Amino acid sequence: MMKFIHSNFFQLKKISFWLVLIFLLFMLGCNQQPTKTPFKNELNTKKTTLKGKVHDWPTDTVYFATFTFHSPYSTTEGFQVLTPDKSFEYTFDKVDQPFIVFLTPERKFLDLRNDVVFENLTDKYYRGYCKKFYDYPITTYLIEPGTETNVELTKTKRYGKTSIKFLNENNYSSAYYQTTFELDGGLDEVLDSRFDPTLKDIKNIDNAIKNLNNKSTELLSGLAKEQQYISPFLYQYTKSEIEFGSKKEFLRYFLLDHKAETSTMFSSKIPEKINNVIEFNKENVDYATLISQEYNEFLELYLTFKFSQLKNKLIIYKEFDKEKFDFALKELPKASRYYYLANNLLHLNDNEKTKELVTRLINLYPNGELNDKLLKKYS
């Protein structure tokens, strides 16, 4: 009897050893980071493709859409029914510039892209919105011309995050793009009075500026270490995310978190140290900046700030109308004006006043890349 127990004990021990080994190998495989290899900056003539396979997908369809940001690909959307093996492949035709696209299993989540820029930056703005946005069943990608983005998507629950595994050759560059979603939270925290009690009082705004400068310097330093491993465009895109994310978070802190205290400042001269944080070189806005999420969110709050200065009182959010149309033409960088106005008009409901603005915009920009979409909507 003892011999039998002794034999079974060692047999179980042997089985347990192999089970533990298999588990460890599985965990190592799951946690394996994309290999860092220097980015090959060479002309790629492959077609531009986004493809993948899904697991535990709640529908039989993949929906995709571009963000309502500054791009000729703005407000493009579509869908594909999954093949029997739960895979999909979409080829983007006539792509000559990078753009941001997201995938989701349900049509209703396409509407969330408007919330990021249009509905969110009002007095209802609250911390952590970006985190909540990306907790929905949405995955986003930077698509560059002549590249293939190959993903494996796994969902654990319908409304939870979707895990992404990149299978394409430049998987580190693709995976690094995902880190830009964490920037907003990092910049957010340094202006949160829960972490720095001195920030409860707007009189300590020097502390807010110091905290923000330190954090943005830290993020830019970290980005510089990754420059050789990611595409030149992704580097510039992320740099814009950091720089304008800092400005956006400062405006959010100044205009929204402390609106009662700062509202009186607009009746007099805004301190120069505040203007120095907010202002930027309007003649040096490149394409990577134009499609940056943080830059586009910043523009909304920037117009709020400038409009409040014009009116000598704090106006949290100015609805889009003829006055805002004219103001945007005056205050925005030349590179941003057309796309900003066109995307706003594509977002608005059709009425006579907006039709007049569409006509005016097309007359100002007869070769505008979104004119056909505007004419289709307002015909």
Side-chain angles (χ1 to χ4, degrees):
M1 180 68 176
M2 289 298 294
K3 184 177 180 180
F4 175 76
I5 293 173
H6 184 76
S7 174
N8 277 293
F9 172 77
F10 280 102
Q11 186 68 22
L12 287 170
K13 190 174 181 181
K14 185 177 180 182
I15 292 171
S16 298
F17 168 79
W18 284 108
L19 285 173
V20 170
L21 181 62
I22 291 169
F23 176 76
L24 288 173
L25 289 172
F26 175 77
M27 291 303 294
L28 285 171
C30 287
N31 295 322
Q32 186 177 11
Q33 297 298 313
T35 303
K36 283 187 179 184
T37 56
F39 184 84
K40 295 178 181 178
N41 189 16
E42 58 188 21
L43 183 63
N44 193 336
T45 57
K46 294 188 300 182
K47 60 185 179 179
T48 305
T49 306
L50 174 59
K51 67 178 184 179
K53 191 168 185 176
V54 301
H55 303 281
D56 300 324
W57 206 247
T59 69
D60 64 353
T61 305
V62 170
Y63 294 89
F64 66 89
T66 54
F67 276 116
T68 46
F69 292 168
H70 292 19
S71 165
Y73 310 112
S74 297
T75 65
T76 296
E77 60 184 61
F79 69 91
Q80 276 199 342
V81 176
L82 295 168
T83 62
D85 69 343
K86 302 293 184 182
S87 64
F88 64 92
E89 180 171 339
Y90 189 83
T91 299
F92 299 94
D93 296 323
K94 299 178 181 179
V95 172
D96 57 6
Q97 295 185 89
F99 61 97
I100 308 298
V101 67
F102 72 77
L103 297 181
T104 181
E106 299 184 51
R107 170 64 184 81
K108 67 179 181 178
F109 291 114
L110 297 187
D111 296 333
L112 289 173
R113 60 190 167 154
N114 295 326
D115 296 348
V116 177
V117 173
F118 297 110
E119 277 74 29
N120 188 41
L121 299 174
T122 68
D123 56 350
K124 295 181 181 179
Y125 183 98
Y126 58 93
R127 296 179 184 276
Y129 177 81
C130 262
K131 183 177 179 181
K132 179 180 178 183
F133 179 81
Y134 290 108
D135 276 347
Y136 281 109
I138 291 170
T139 60
T140 74
Y141 312 89
L142 171 63
I143 304 297
E144 298 193 53
T147 62
E148 178 184 279
T149 302
N150 188 3
V151 297
E152 190 170 278
L153 306 176
T154 303
K155 290 201 59 57
T156 55
K157 54 184 179 178
R158 184 181 178 190
Y159 284 92
K161 279 186 177 179
T162 304
S163 64
I164 312 171
K165 182 178 181 181
F166 289 97
L167 306 176
N168 45 295
E169 291 180 6
N170 65 328
N171 61 335
Y172 183 74
S173 197
S174 295
Y176 187 78
Y177 165 73
Q178 307 300 315
T179 67
T180 61
F181 305 143
E182 305 300 325
L183 299 179
D184 190 64
L187 293 166
D188 186 310
E189 287 180 2
V190 299
L191 295 179
D192 192 334
S193 60
R194 291 174 297 179
F195 297 94
D196 184 349
T198 67
L199 302 184
K200 290 181 180 179
D201 191 339
I202 197 65
K203 292 178 181 178
N204 296 319
I205 199 164
D206 286 345
N207 290 358
I209 295 172
K210 179 183 176 181
N211 290 355
L212 200 60
N213 286 339
N214 289 342
K215 186 63 178 180
S216 59
T217 299
E218 174 194 327
L219 292 172
L220 288 170
S221 177
L223 173 63
K225 294 177 182 178
E226 305 296 330
Q227 186 171 4
Q228 65 175 311
Y229 305 113
I230 60 179
S231 76
F233 187 87
L234 176 56
Y235 171 80
Q236 190 57 43
Y237 176 91
T238 309
K239 186 170 181 286
S240 295
E241 287 277 283
I242 295 169
E243 292 172 346
F244 286 97
S246 297
K247 294 179 183 295
K248 182 205 78 175
E249 287 302 324
F250 182 79
L251 279 172
R252 185 267 310 147
Y253 169 83
F254 181 70
L255 296 172
L256 305 179
D257 285 3
H258 293 278
K259 58 184 178 181
E261 297 91 335
T262 60
S263 59
T264 57
M265 290 189 187
F266 287 101
S267 60
S268 57
K269 186 178 180 180
I270 297 292
E272 195 62 24
K273 60 187 175 184
I274 293 175
N275 285 315
N276 289 340
V277 177
I278 295 165
E279 292 298 342
F280 62 105
N281 185 352
K282 296 180 182 179
E283 302 301 319
N284 188 30
V285 177
D286 59 15
Y287 181 74
T289 300
L290 283 176
I291 70 168
S292 159
Q293 176 175 332
E294 295 296 333
Y295 172 73
N296 282 269
E297 290 188 12
F298 161 76
L299 285 186
E300 285 297 322
L301 289 175
Y302 179 75
L303 286 178
T304 295
F305 175 79
K306 301 297 283 188
F307 194 72
S308 297
Q309 281 187 306
L310 177 69
K311 299 296 184 180
N312 294 320
K313 62 179 180 179
L314 178 59
I315 299 174
I316 290 297
Y317 186 72
K318 169 66 175 169
E319 295 293 338
F320 193 86
D321 56 11
K322 182 181 181 299
E323 186 177 30
K324 191 169 184 177
F325 184 102
D326 292 333
F327 192 70
L329 282 174
K330 175 178 176 291
E331 292 293 340
L332 292 183
K334 185 177 180 180
S336 295
R337 293 168 193 165
Y338 170 75
Y339 289 123
Y340 175 85
L341 294 170
N343 282 316
N344 268 276
L345 289 167
L346 286 169
H347 170 68
L348 295 176
N349 293 326
D350 183 356
N351 60 54
E352 288 304 315
K353 289 184 178 180
T354 50
K355 280 183 179 179
E356 292 175 8
L357 295 177
V358 167
T359 301
R360 186 175 166 202
L361 182 65
I362 292 174
N363 287 336
L364 288 170
Y365 299 92
N367 298 318
E369 293 163 296
L370 298 174
N371 286 355
D372 288 344
K373 291 181 180 179
L374 287 167
L375 290 170
K376 182 178 179 181
K377 177 174 180 176
Y378 289 98
S379 60

